[in-house]
Amino acid sequence: MTVPADLPDLDEHYGSYCRAMRMLVREGKSLKNVQRTVCWQQLARLHDCRPARYQEPDALYLKLCREGGAAGGAASKR
């Protein structure tokens, strides 16, 4: 597997992508809407390149929904 040239940059901004997804979950965005965002795309790229280190973005989304107590609500809104 070849490593994309921008992988170190993605690594460096991982926390920012997670914070962005956390904000989207707090706003009650649906999974479908979150999947259209840049943070989702970048988290998916990180997972594709380093699956042992980074979880899938949908797993992160569901985890954040559970932590916020909005597991069913966020997935059905908007």
Side-chain angles (χ1 to χ4, degrees):
M1 173 197 259
T2 61
V3 177
D6 59 345
L7 187 59
D9 189 51
L10 290 174
D11 266 338
E12 185 178 325
H13 293 96
Y14 175 73
S16 298
Y17 304 135
C18 290
R19 282 190 298 278
M21 187 175 297
R22 183 173 284 114
M23 288 172 48
L24 293 166
V25 168
R26 280 190 200 141
E27 291 173 4
K29 301 292 184 187
S30 70
L31 177 60
K32 188 175 182 178
N33 285 338
V34 174
Q35 287 173 331
R36 296 184 195 139
T37 64
V38 171
C39 72
W40 181 279
Q41 294 168 6
Q42 304 301 53
L43 289 167
R45 289 178 69 199
L46 280 166
H47 172 72
D48 289 345
C49 292
R50 295 188 175 160
R53 184 169 179 186
Y54 299 107
Q55 64 183 336
E56 294 182 45
D58 54 343
L60 178 59
Y61 174 83
L62 293 173
K63 176 184 169 192
L64 293 171
C65 286
R66 283 192 303 272
E67 287 175 1
S76 64
K77 287 184 182 177
R78 297 186 192 154

